[in-house]
Amino acid sequence: MQCFSASEPDFGLSGLLFLNNLLYLAVLGYLILLLTGQGTPGPNRFGPEPGRMD
């Protein structure tokens, strides 16, 4: 027994893979933004900020 008419597109596995890839790219973009953003200002356990000598 067929539940859908033949005119409807079949997204099935390819649709899930497409959504998975979109999610992957969104998370990758977010991680790149986090890694290239400004850090916490001030000294930390590794010493003073690079290029800054107080």
Side-chain angles (χ1 to χ4, degrees):
M1 181 174 140
Q2 187 176 5
C3 295
F4 301 106
S5 67
S7 63
E8 292 183 19
D10 180 24
F11 290 110
L13 183 60
S14 64
L16 288 174
L17 290 174
F18 178 74
L19 290 175
N20 184 36
N21 287 337
L22 282 180
L23 180 65
Y24 172 77
L25 290 174
V27 169
L28 184 64
Y30 180 66
L31 288 175
I32 289 173
L33 285 176
L34 285 177
L35 290 171
T36 58
Q38 184 73 19
T40 306
N44 57 38
R45 64 182 179 160
F46 301 109
E49 294 181 40
R52 196 166 172 213
M53 296 298 204
D54 288 333

